[in-house]
Amino acid sequence: MKLIFALIISIFAVMPLEAKSDACLARSKEHFNEKEYTQAEKTLIKCLKADPKNSDALISLAGVEMILGKFNNAEQNFKRALTQLEKKSPYRAYIYSRMGDIYMRRANLKEAQKYYQAALKYEPANINALVGTGICEEKAGNLKKAVDYYKKALAVDFTNIVSRERLIALEPDILTDEELLRTMKERNIIDPVAQNFSAEDKETLKKIITAEKGSGIEYLSQKFKGKIPNGFIVERDSNKVYVRKMLTITGYNELIRQLSSDAKNFLINKGVTPAQLFKARDASGKDIFNNAGNLTDAGLTAFTKMLRGEKSYYLPGEKLPATQKEIENKIKALLAQGYYEVSPSDFVYLLDATKCREEVLHSYFRSRAIDTGNGKRRFFLSTDNTRNMRACNLPFSHLYLAVQDYHAQKKAARNNAPVYSNTFGTGNGFKINLCTKDGLKLNCQGLPD
């Protein structure tokens, strides 16, 4: 999971350097400032070899490892540093805060919050821990508590972007009716003299805020070459430190019009005909365009995926991907029929060992593959020992038996026994390439009777 709060700016400057380690730590700092993080890591490891108890180098190394994505190493080194620091060391707040980040990445909110709270006991104004706790509370559905922590973070640093963005995103759920009425009037969602608003007005506000979060204002600025027409956005001046730009309903409608035009051009360039265009659906079967020719909510999501190169639109006649429930039901049905699921690595072994294409295995051994949308899951019969004359007189369960044999060979290899890579499903050294070079027909030579 991507952390949405800022990474450490410098993990070196906040800690005094031991005199004897000045040169080594200075070199690592130079690498860090040049964003040569791998070299900084190597240098810090050398620093620690020369001085294993140097907590400054240990904490700095853990910080660099976080940037490199080595979170297990970072956690170990942070914990080592804690054993070396005095109980009242100010660096404990920094370590606990970063430990919270590690557990946040692992989606372990309970542990993350525990470490953030530990950091706040040492340093109540620790921005990272305040924001991190806010995120934990928000993900747990405790919006009021989340708002309190985001506001505390802004009280420490009025320019903190993450806290500000989260508070804006939560506005429709946390503002009072009076505050919602005011912001809807600001954005021209409702009449300036209106005394109340509808549920539909509130949904419109949510859509506009989502569009702002998705860089809608920047998109319009690009379309109009930096000169957005009057009435498209309004500005709210917050003590002139942070000026908030907000889309009006007019600006939002123009944004949707521009995005819809881009989406149509994108699909036409992909060969979609005008007749097909307005019948396109997303993966769940929802329309991508409405009757007015604009992107629907589902269409906005689909267009974002299109731009990332994902298959997110389906034309008339194209079969929609199975739903998650349908996929689960198919898998249950296969397992009930005596099928066995093989891992991706096992499947790669089978392709290499048999020299067969996947469709050949489906044809001769009744193997099955289910596309989940995130890749294929593959299944082989494990109980049908009927001799298949069409497949070299082998049983339909032969692929399953081959996988078991493969596992046995790997286990034997750990005991220093040789692994016969040219053996496929026999366990006795026969070389069996089931398919010929063209990968279509089975070659039964070399098989035992």
Side-chain angles (χ1 to χ4, degrees), residues 17 80 82 90 121 123-124 147 159 170 179 181 184-185 196 199 257 278 281 303 305 309 320 338 352 362 386 403 445:
L17 304 176
R80 281 178 57 196
L82 287 172
K121 286 182 180 178
E123 185 186 347
V147 168
T159 64
L170 291 173
E179 291 170 327
L181 196 67
M184 287 181 188
K185 289 179 180 181
N196 50 52
R257 191 187 73 79
F278 297 109
R281 298 167 294 166
F303 184 41
K305 293 180 179 179
L320 295 176
D352 180 63
H362 290 330
T386 306
V403 169
Q445 294 180 2

Side-chain angles (χ1 to χ4, degrees), residues 49-65:
K49 284 184 178 179
D51 184 7
K53 294 185 179 181
N54 189 320
S55 56
D56 295 344
L58 194 57
I59 295 170
S60 298
L61 175 60
V64 170
E65 287 170 334

Side-chain angles (χ1 to χ4, degrees), residues 339-408:
Y339 278 86
Y340 166 86
E341 183 173 4
V342 296
S343 69
S345 60
D346 286 346
F347 183 70
V348 170
Y349 160 74
L350 286 169
L351 291 182
D352 180 63
T354 63
K355 309 302 181 190
C356 292
R357 296 176 186 172
E358 183 171 3
E359 59 266 27
V360 176
L361 299 181
H362 290 330
S363 174
Y364 285 88
F365 294 100
R366 298 178 183 170
S367 62
R368 295 289 182 266
I370 294 179
D371 192 341
T372 66
N374 294 313
K376 289 183 177 180
R377 293 174 66 176
R378 296 176 172 86
F379 301 81
F380 297 134
L381 276 167
S382 62
T383 57
D384 193 336
N385 292 316
T386 306
R387 307 298 288 188
N388 182 2
M389 298 298 294
R390 190 162 169 256
C392 304
N393 201 30
L394 295 171
F396 286 108
S397 60
H398 183 70
L399 298 180
Y400 164 79
L401 297 173
V403 169
Q404 303 309 309
D405 184 51
Y406 172 55
H407 288 170

Side-chain angles (χ1 to χ4, degrees), residues 109-148:
L109 299 182
K110 185 176 180 180
E111 276 305 292
Q113 190 156 5
K114 182 182 80 173
Y115 279 109
Y116 288 137
Q117 288 299 308
L120 291 173
K121 286 182 180 178
Y122 281 89
E123 185 186 347
N126 186 295
I127 287 285
N128 194 64
L130 287 170
V131 176
T133 302
I135 292 172
C136 287
E137 295 289 3
E138 182 181 345
K139 287 182 178 294
N142 304 320
L143 300 188
K144 187 177 183 303
K145 289 184 178 180
V147 168
D148 288 342

Side-chain angles (χ1 to χ4, degrees), residues 165-180:
E165 287 182 346
R166 294 315 310 149
L167 285 172
I168 291 171
L170 291 173
E171 273 188 357
D173 298 309
I174 64 173
L175 294 182
T176 64
D177 285 353
E178 183 180 348
E179 291 170 327
L180 284 171

Side-chain angles (χ1 to χ4, degrees), residues 266-281:
F266 178 91
L267 290 171
I268 288 171
N269 288 334
K270 291 289 185 181
V272 177
T273 67
Q276 295 173 317
L277 196 62
F278 297 109
K279 295 181 180 179
R281 298 167 294 166

Side-chain angles (χ1 to χ4, degrees), residues 308-329:
R308 293 200 299 255
E310 298 179 30
K311 173 64 173 174
S312 59
Y313 66 91
Y314 295 84
L315 303 177
E318 283 189 289
K319 185 179 179 181
L320 295 176
T323 65
Q324 188 60 41
K325 186 174 182 179
E326 289 172 337
I327 290 170
E328 291 173 359
N329 287 339

Side-chain angles (χ1 to χ4, degrees), residues 162-436:
V162 176
S163 292
R164 192 167 299 285
E165 287 182 346
R166 294 315 310 149
L167 285 172
I168 291 171
L170 291 173
E171 273 188 357
D173 298 309
I174 64 173
L175 294 182
T176 64
D177 285 353
E178 183 180 348
E179 291 170 327
L180 284 171
L181 196 67
R182 185 177 70 248
T183 191
M184 287 181 188
K185 289 179 180 181
E186 280 182 307
R187 297 169 181 274
N188 296 325
I189 296 173
I190 58 176
D191 192 277
V193 297
Q195 297 300 309
N196 50 52
F197 58 86
S198 67
E200 185 179 352
D201 294 330
K202 190 172 181 180
E203 282 303 309
T204 299
L205 177 61
K206 287 183 178 182
K207 290 179 182 180
I208 293 176
I209 289 175
T210 300
E212 289 172 352
K213 184 181 176 184
S215 303
I217 293 175
E218 291 83 352
Y219 177 88
L220 280 180
S221 181
Q222 182 183 23
K223 284 292 180 181
F224 289 98
K225 298 181 179 179
K227 297 180 180 179
I228 301 177
N230 291 333
F232 283 12
I233 63 171
V234 291
E235 294 185 355
R236 184 183 292 173
D237 191 339
S238 302
N239 299 326
K240 297 183 179 179
V241 177
Y242 174 84
V243 178
R244 178 180 170 188
K245 294 184 177 181
M246 304 184 299
L247 281 170
T248 65
I249 186 64
T250 305
Y252 174 74
N253 288 337
E254 178 62 19
L255 172 66
I256 297 301
R257 191 187 73 79
Q258 293 281 354
L259 285 169
S260 300
S261 177
D262 286 350
K264 292 170 193 172
N265 290 332
F266 178 91
L267 290 171
I268 288 171
N269 288 334
K270 291 289 185 181
V272 177
T273 67
Q276 295 173 317
L277 196 62
F278 297 109
K279 295 181 180 179
R281 298 167 294 166
D282 71 357
S284 65
K286 295 179 181 177
D287 290 335
I288 288 180
F289 295 97
N290 60 24
N291 292 333
N294 288 328
L295 287 167
T296 61
D297 292 343
L300 286 168
T301 301
F303 184 41
T304 301
K305 293 180 179 179
M306 290 179 212
L307 295 176
R308 293 200 299 255
E310 298 179 30
K311 173 64 173 174
S312 59
Y313 66 91
Y314 295 84
L315 303 177
E318 283 189 289
K319 185 179 179 181
L320 295 176
T323 65
Q324 188 60 41
K325 186 174 182 179
E326 289 172 337
I327 290 170
E328 291 173 359
N329 287 339
K330 285 182 180 180
I331 291 173
K332 286 180 181 178
L334 286 177
L335 296 176
Q337 294 169 30
Y339 278 86
Y340 166 86
E341 183 173 4
V342 296
S343 69
S345 60
D346 286 346
F347 183 70
V348 170
Y349 160 74
L350 286 169
L351 291 182
D352 180 63
T354 63
K355 309 302 181 190
C356 292
R357 296 176 186 172
E358 183 171 3
E359 59 266 27
V360 176
L361 299 181
H362 290 330
S363 174
Y364 285 88
F365 294 100
R366 298 178 183 170
S367 62
R368 295 289 182 266
I370 294 179
D371 192 341
T372 66
N374 294 313
K376 289 183 177 180
R377 293 174 66 176
R378 296 176 172 86
F379 301 81
F380 297 134
L381 276 167
S382 62
T383 57
D384 193 336
N385 292 316
T386 306
R387 307 298 288 188
N388 182 2
M389 298 298 294
R390 190 162 169 256
C392 304
N393 201 30
L394 295 171
F396 286 108
S397 60
H398 183 70
L399 298 180
Y400 164 79
L401 297 173
V403 169
Q404 303 309 309
D405 184 51
Y406 172 55
H407 288 170
Q409 290 181 37
K410 288 201 298 184
K411 184 176 180 180
R414 289 195 291 271
N415 297 323
N416 298 319
V419 174
Y420 298 101
S421 60
N422 63 345
T423 301
F424 174 63
T426 63
N428 55 14
F430 284 95
K431 182 177 181 180
I432 307 171
N433 293 336
L434 291 181
C435 289
T436 56

